[in-house]
Amino acid sequence: MSTTTHPSTTGSGHGRDPEPPPPGGVLWTTAGDIRSLLTLPAAFTLQVAHPAVGAGVDQYSVFRTDPWGRGERSLRSVMLWVYGGDEAVAEGRRVRRLHKEIQGTDTRGRRYHSLDPACYSWVHATGFPIALYAGRYLFRRITPAQERQLYAEWLRVGRILGIRDRDMPQTVEEFWPYYHRMLAEEIGPTKVALELLDTDAALPPPEVGGRAARLLLRLVWPVLRTAFLRLRVFVTVGFMPPDARAALGLRWSPAQERRLRRLGTALRILVPLLPERLRYLPAAREARARRRRAGAR
């Protein structure tokens, strides 16, 4: 992988700022729904299954020492890409700056830079198959037209991140051969991916609430930690497409599939009944409120 060729910062190649996904689109409707939180572990694990991405995260990320803070910051960034409006482009540039100095040797002994299209585009690409596959459980199976719309919106996110169009498959038909080639040639059980699939991994308690709440959480954390890690691994493997599971050598039994389907059915029924303040993440709630105010004028 080259250490000198990086994606442009505009994505379009014409000097114009890229546009975020449109209000009311597929991404805009689902990304901020609390059910989408369950898909993030699968996406992150598939990202770090890339030799260069896994090496970069292993060496530079604080996911081991500050997992909750790292997760919160990543989620805030994703929400800005989709709901941030004018802030989306600024956030994309901030993400690129953070990755500018990340370079080294990947898990196969090859030199890499985190902004090389070979690995930076893969990090972006993983979101589409995960959203599509997990959405069948958590939301509903989308139509071919909606699939095309979702991919077109995901391309917008790629441009927000500074990825050039020539470094992203431009259609669904172009995406799947690229995805399957990556699974066959690059993706595998890297050290970081295996850590994320370990139900005995070290995981500190989150720092939430006041002093008394944090003390209580520390006392019960050994039990909660085991339950949380088992749930994380369950949704990570369950919401990963079967071909991606195979690339990582992951097993998935019929009994696990039945449990995942029951979970999905319960969430499809119960979550839409929740009030908006509980159903949507803050960035999505604010964006929906802005849209309603604009429509009322």
Side-chain angles (χ1 to χ4, degrees):
M1 279 179 274
S2 168
T3 58
T4 58
T5 302
H6 305 156
S8 72
T9 56
T10 63
S12 65
H14 300 292
R16 298 188 300 269
D17 285 341
E19 296 182 357
V26 179
L27 259 183
W28 206 85
T29 302
T30 59
D33 188 298
I34 58 172
R35 288 171 285 186
S36 289
L37 291 174
L38 294 174
T39 70
L40 299 181
F44 184 49
T45 302
L46 191 54
Q47 290 168 12
V48 300
H50 187 288
V53 181
V57 170
D58 183 31
Q59 182 176 356
Y60 292 94
S61 176
V62 298
F63 82 100
R64 295 185 183 97
T65 56
D66 184 24
W68 303 102
R70 197 266 186 198
E72 181 183 3
R73 291 187 293 273
S74 295
L75 179 61
R76 187 186 310 126
S77 186
V78 172
M79 292 297 100
L80 281 172
W81 305 342
V82 178
Y83 300 106
D86 293 340
E87 295 181 63
V89 174
E91 178 61 14
R93 289 172 178 157
R94 186 191 71 85
V95 170
R96 286 182 56 81
R97 287 196 299 272
L98 283 177
H99 289 79
K100 190 174 182 180
E101 303 303 322
I102 297 178
Q103 56 187 307
T105 303
D106 73 12
T107 59
R108 298 184 183 178
R110 302 171 299 189
R111 294 292 300 171
Y112 77 89
H113 189 291
S114 66
L115 293 179
D116 288 341
C119 53
Y120 195 60
S121 296
W122 173 251
V123 172
H124 163 259
T126 56
F128 176 67
I130 297 293
L132 194 64
Y133 185 75
R136 300 170 182 175
Y137 296 86
L138 297 171
F139 299 97
R140 62 181 184 276
R141 186 180 294 271
I142 67 175
T143 66
Q146 290 171 324
E147 179 180 341
R148 292 176 183 277
Q149 181 183 350
L150 174 61
Y151 189 71
E153 293 172 6
W154 198 239
L155 286 177
R156 290 197 182 196
V157 171
R159 296 178 190 122
I160 290 289
L161 293 172
I163 305 174
R164 297 171 298 195
D165 278 353
R166 72 188 190 195
D167 294 322
M168 298 183 288
Q170 290 297 292
T171 65
V172 171
E173 290 80 8
E174 293 175 1
F175 175 81
W176 293 116
Y178 156 78
Y179 169 73
H180 291 129
R181 177 178 59 79
M182 291 295 291
L183 292 182
E185 299 178 2
E186 293 288 342
I187 304 309
T190 62
K191 174 185 175 182
V192 176
L194 292 176
E195 284 187 51
L196 296 174
L197 294 163
D198 183 3
T199 56
D200 293 321
L203 183 69
E207 295 293 328
V208 295
R211 181 178 179 182
R214 291 197 297 270
L215 178 59
L216 178 61
L217 183 57
R218 290 192 190 102
L219 291 174
V220 300
W221 184 242
V223 175
L224 292 180
R225 170 185 158 275
T226 298
F228 174 82
L229 288 174
R230 287 176 178 173
L231 175 62
R232 187 179 75 177
V233 172
F234 177 71
V235 297
T236 298
V237 182
F239 290 137
M240 194 174 289
D243 47 10
R245 288 182 205 143
L248 271 69
L250 302 177
R251 296 180 179 178
W252 186 249
S253 70
Q256 289 173 309
E257 178 65 20
R258 289 192 293 271
R259 288 198 295 272
L260 187 68
R261 289 180 182 274
R262 287 196 294 268
L263 173 64
T265 298
L267 292 173
R268 286 198 308 273
I269 293 172
L270 295 176
V271 172
L273 301 178
L274 295 175
E276 186 171 284
R277 62 185 175 83
L278 297 178
R279 179 178 176 181
Y280 293 100
L281 297 170
R285 291 200 306 271
E286 294 167 8
R288 291 168 66 87
R290 287 197 303 269
R291 192 180 185 216
R292 284 195 295 268
R293 289 193 296 268
R297 287 199 288 267

